[in-house]
Amino acid sequence: MPEVERGRPGLPGRFCRYLPGPGGLGNRCRRSLKAGGRRVGRAVRGPGAERDGLLLQVKGAAAVMVAWWVSSWLLPPAVTAFATVTSLLALQATVYRSLWDSAQYLGAMAVGTAMAAAFGSTAGVHAWSVGVLAFITLVAARLQPLGGQGAQVPVVALFAFAGGGGEIDYIGHLVAAAAIGVCCGLAAHFAVAPSPHTDTAHTAIRAMTRRAHSLLQAMAESAEQMAADEKKSKDWARHCEELASQAARARAVVEEAQENTKLNPRRPWSSAPESLQRCHVLISMFERIGTHLRSIARALDYAISRDQPHPAAKDFVTAYAELLHCTAATLECLDPAGGPEQADRLRACVDSGMHRYHDLAATAQRGHLDAPGQWPVYGTALTEAVRILEEMKADLQPQPLTARDDGRR
């Protein structure tokens, strides 16, 4: 018998989720609408990923409308749709990518239409000629200069060959439609170019900081209680893996923000490139910190879950919790747009953490935790914590970034 959801007798649970109510389709739609409203609100308030996405959609709709109007006025109806599709292909997230993709697309179209014209004027349209043309264009699609637009070679060639019979007039109209679409897409981008900003990159860095901070705090609380929890240990490992994935996504965000400053008619302010380069430095740091956190999680889990711990282990682990709290507080100073006061606070937190580290090292020596049988556990935890502090100490800059790097113009 299929499982019946409580409160809805006679209906299998898999059908009930589509009905209005808690957990149903209606509730999910309401949540989606609220999330969409929040994204629109963030887009209105200031620059960022939400505003860029909304503007791109508006520009795409405008480019399609203008491309259809111009192509329907100048060209036969058979190629009007091609202009609208091409306008969307030319409209990418940044001006630089739009220009580069458009150039590659026009190159792919030139190769595809040339092959279609050659086959149309010699072999004619037959089943075997379509197959041969498809094979040759698929090979040509692998040409290195065409990049990701190489897949358009067989598409354009088959469209011109099978749809227009390889006739020169049809191919000429097809090329004209593509040119109109590319021009409309690029014109929409240049008319309202995406604003160069650092908001999205800074948000990604802060999200990584919060995750690493929360993980250190959770480890410190477990160390204070000297209580092992298998579920918490699994959560630590999962959060370390998520931190690595988050760093990869953040790097992609920063690279897109850097790309947005290239060939953009809206020039960025002078300190934006430095701010984005600092984001790269912080991402690399968090990648290394994630490795240190994995080692701390394994060592700490082993230290607090031993059946017969070393007599001095409790005092060491309790004091180690304070070192983790101090390290977590230091992470809060790694704001990507921090000013001189933030740098001074970072230096003070690092110095405090180093002082605790030296005290703990002395405690381990007095309690004989530096013996060969104990040091692989306690020494690893202590060494990895101080490495995190050293990572942040290396981030101290003699001339910190100014407050202009808040990502807003």
Side-chain angles (χ1 to χ4, degrees), residues 40-83:
V40 172
R42 289 193 294 269
V44 172
R45 284 194 296 270
E50 290 80 8
R51 174 176 288 186
D52 293 344
L54 183 61
L55 283 176
L56 189 63
Q57 292 172 359
V58 173
K59 288 186 290 187
V64 166
M65 180 180 66
V66 175
W68 181 87
W69 177 72
V70 174
S71 61
S72 62
W73 177 44
L74 298 176
L75 302 173
V79 297
T80 301
F82 205 78

Side-chain angles (χ1 to χ4, degrees), residues 106-407:
L106 291 176
M109 186 170 190
V111 174
T113 52
M115 290 184 177
F119 268 75
S121 60
T122 56
V125 181
H126 307 285
W128 67 267
S129 60
V130 171
V132 173
L133 177 63
F135 177 79
I136 295 176
T137 53
L138 286 171
V139 173
R142 298 177 177 270
L143 293 174
Q144 188 72 23
L146 300 179
Q149 297 296 331
Q152 298 296 331
V153 174
V155 173
V156 172
L158 293 174
F159 195 94
F161 188 66
E167 297 179 0
I168 299 299
D169 290 343
Y170 181 84
I171 292 176
H173 292 151
L174 195 64
V175 172
I180 290 173
V182 167
C183 290
C184 290
L186 294 179
H189 234 334
F190 278 99
V192 188
S195 173
H197 60 81
T198 59
D199 285 56
T200 308
H202 288 178
T203 300
I205 299 297
R206 293 186 184 107
M208 284 193 298
T209 304
R210 288 193 298 269
R211 184 180 293 277
H213 178 271
S214 300
L215 186 54
L216 278 169
Q217 291 283 35
M219 291 180 182
E221 291 171 1
S222 294
E224 286 174 339
Q225 300 168 4
M226 280 293 290
D229 189 333
E230 184 177 354
K231 181 179 182 301
K232 285 184 178 180
S233 300
K234 291 181 179 178
D235 287 342
W236 294 347
R238 177 173 57 83
H239 283 300
C240 288
E241 296 299 328
E242 290 176 352
L243 182 62
S245 301
Q246 201 169 4
R249 292 193 297 271
R251 193 176 295 280
V253 167
V254 175
E255 288 174 352
E256 183 173 317
Q258 288 178 318
E259 184 182 89
N260 191 34
T261 63
K262 298 178 181 179
L263 304 178
N264 195 323
R266 301 175 65 178
R267 304 305 301 170
W269 59 98
S270 58
S271 58
E274 296 178 3
S275 179
L276 292 174
Q277 185 58 39
R278 173 172 164 75
C279 288
H280 272 298
V281 173
L282 291 178
I283 291 170
S284 298
M285 178 191 303
F286 273 105
E287 289 173 338
R288 296 189 294 270
I289 287 176
T291 303
H292 301 323
L293 288 174
R294 280 192 289 268
S295 297
I296 291 175
R298 289 192 295 267
L300 191 60
D301 181 56
Y302 182 77
I304 63 181
S305 62
R306 301 179 69 176
D307 295 333
Q308 294 181 345
H310 191 279
K314 184 175 182 180
D315 293 338
F316 176 89
V317 173
T318 302
Y320 185 73
E322 293 298 322
L323 176 59
L324 292 182
H325 279 305
C326 185
T327 306
T330 308
L331 278 174
E332 293 181 322
C333 304
L334 288 178
D335 187 86
E341 298 83 4
Q342 197 77 359
D344 292 341
R345 183 185 168 202
L346 174 61
R347 187 176 290 105
C349 288
V350 169
D351 291 341
S352 176
M354 287 295 184
H355 179 72
R356 293 178 186 275
Y357 161 73
H358 291 302
D359 288 346
L360 261 177
T363 301
Q365 188 174 11
R366 287 194 301 269
H368 302 290
L369 292 176
D370 57 347
Q374 305 295 329
W375 192 244
V377 177
Y378 302 101
T380 296
L382 192 57
T383 302
E384 297 295 351
V386 77
R387 282 177 177 172
I388 296 177
L389 290 172
E390 288 172 348
E391 291 283 358
M392 291 182 283
K393 183 178 181 180
D395 183 61
L396 289 169
Q397 301 290 337
Q399 292 181 350
L401 297 175
T402 63
R404 290 177 62 193
D405 291 325
D406 62 352

